[in-house]
């Protein structure tokens, strides 16, 4: 059971890191290029990466919330 607890904590930490990384990208890109509009055509690729990172982070956090059926 200790391995399961460790892997759950690792997934949770990695998911939080993904969300923080996405927010850092958003702030860094916005400050560097002055592009706070996510619908501006020339900046869509960087914001698409940011959205994917946030979604993976949220999915990872949701996966750690579910209870194992083997317990």
């Amino acid at each position: 059971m200790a391995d399961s607890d460790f892997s759950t904590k690792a997934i949770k930490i990695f998911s939080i890191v993904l969300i923080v990384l996405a927010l850092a990208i958003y702030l860094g890109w916005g400050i560097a290029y002055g592009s706070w509009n996510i619908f501006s055509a020339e900046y869509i690729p960087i914001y698409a990466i940011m959205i994917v990172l946030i979604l993976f982070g949220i999915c990872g956090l949701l996966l750690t919330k579910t209870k194992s059926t083997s317990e």
Side-chain angles (χ1 to χ4, degrees):
M1 292 298 166
D3 293 333
S4 177
D5 188 39
F6 175 75
S7 64
T8 302
K9 286 183 182 179
I11 291 171
K12 187 179 281 189
I13 290 171
F14 184 67
S15 298
I16 291 171
V17 167
L18 285 177
I19 293 172
V20 169
L21 179 64
L23 294 175
I25 288 173
Y26 178 72
L27 288 174
W29 192 267
I31 291 170
Y33 294 100
S35 62
W36 299 105
N37 182 8
I38 63 172
F39 300 111
S40 180
E42 64 264 12
Y43 301 121
I44 284 182
I46 193 69
Y47 290 121
I49 292 170
M50 180 196 67
I51 290 170
V52 168
L53 287 173
I54 288 175
L55 289 177
F56 277 137
I58 291 171
C59 287
L61 288 175
L62 289 175
L63 287 174
T64 58
K65 295 286 184 193
T66 60
K67 294 192 180 207
S68 176
T69 57
S70 63
E71 292 181 337

